[in-house]
Amino acid sequence: MKKYAIRVVETLARTVIVEAENFEDAISQVEDAASSGEFILESDDFDEREIVPAGWTENGLVPDDRDVSYYTHLYRTTCINYQYRDASNYKKQNKVIVPGRYTEDQIQSIIDCLQDGEYFIPSKVGFPEERFEDVTEDDHPWFELQEDDFEDSDKKPQMDVSPEEMVRLFEKAKDHWEEGVYEC
């Protein structure tokens, strides 16, 4: 996905009534009052907004070598919630923030790849795995994922895999979840 730098310019405006001898005097009085802090424009004084590409870009496209870490970022991401449940029914919630928004079809494709329509091994698709600190005979490699565990988010993604690529990772793991995975 490409990055674009878009500049938001908002203008504040307020009409001030001033008694003066002439126009130049009126302007001078208002300039002095504004400079001295006699009045300060606030959000209620909002007048207009202009949204344009940042001046240092070509049509808003951010060059690959440009450091934009200090700018505000708007993310269109998805939070995928999943849980670990051991054999004693103790549960540990997990989540990962991934780039993009998932369609119903993509979510269904992922669910269709799960063991018994619910179980998967997160590390097989690059997800983090958080279990309990102490490993017991109740532990196993399986985590639970359901259709309603996908939520729109605006948080920074934790991995760089598009929704299309994620579906392919789940399809690749389908029916092969336990291959190369050792019991806990």
Side-chain angles (χ1 to χ4, degrees):
M1 203 173 291
K2 298 176 183 176
K3 290 183 184 175
Y4 290 87
I6 306 300
R7 184 171 171 81
V8 179
V9 180
E10 293 185 334
T11 304
L12 302 179
R14 183 186 298 173
T15 300
V16 178
I17 306 301
V18 60
E19 294 182 12
E21 295 293 323
N22 56 43
F23 177 71
E24 290 79 18
D25 183 36
I27 294 290
S28 178
Q29 286 184 48
V30 172
E31 285 176 346
D32 290 346
S35 295
S36 70
E38 194 171 323
F39 65 88
I40 298 173
L41 300 185
E42 299 171 350
S43 60
D44 290 342
D45 298 308
F46 175 78
D47 186 48
E48 67 180 333
R49 176 180 296 130
E50 180 182 19
I51 300 178
V52 296
W56 50 267
T57 68
E58 185 173 323
N59 294 321
L61 192 59
V62 175
D64 289 336
D65 61 346
R66 180 76 183 236
D67 177 15
V68 293
S69 59
Y70 48 87
Y71 289 102
T72 298
H73 289 252
L74 299 178
Y75 297 106
R76 288 182 45 84
T77 55
T78 299
C79 178
I80 302 176
N81 298 288
Y82 50 103
Q83 84 174 355
Y84 178 72
R85 179 194 318 246
D86 71 12
S88 293
N89 205 28
Y90 289 103
K91 301 170 190 165
K92 185 81 163 182
Q93 299 301 318
N94 285 252
K95 71 178 178 180
V96 63
I97 308 294
V98 294
R101 299 281 168 87
Y102 285 66
T103 65
E104 288 181 23
D105 288 344
Q106 289 168 325
I107 293 170
Q108 191 57 55
S109 292
I110 288 172
I111 298 301
D112 290 346
C113 293
L114 305 179
Q115 187 78 28
D116 299 326
E118 183 175 13
Y119 303 105
F120 79 116
I121 299 173
S123 60
K124 296 287 276 192
V125 293
F127 287 10
E129 295 182 357
E130 192 173 327
R131 296 185 184 95
F132 301 102
E133 288 182 26
D134 296 327
V135 177
T136 70
E137 66 275 356
D138 289 343
D139 288 308
H140 54 78
W142 297 101
F143 286 67
E144 301 171 11
L145 179 63
Q146 299 175 352
E147 207 171 312
D148 59 355
D149 289 335
F150 293 74
E151 300 173 353
D152 289 349
S153 175
D154 59 2
K155 304 278 190 268
K156 182 178 181 177
Q158 297 170 285
M159 49 190 311
D160 189 21
V161 178
S162 72
E164 296 78 16
E165 292 169 309
M166 186 60 68
V167 169
R168 284 193 291 278
L169 287 172
F170 272 85
E171 288 172 343
K172 183 178 176 185
K174 181 179 182 177
D175 298 324
H176 303 284
W177 287 108
E178 290 187 277
E179 288 178 15
V181 175
Y182 299 100
E183 289 297 318
C184 297

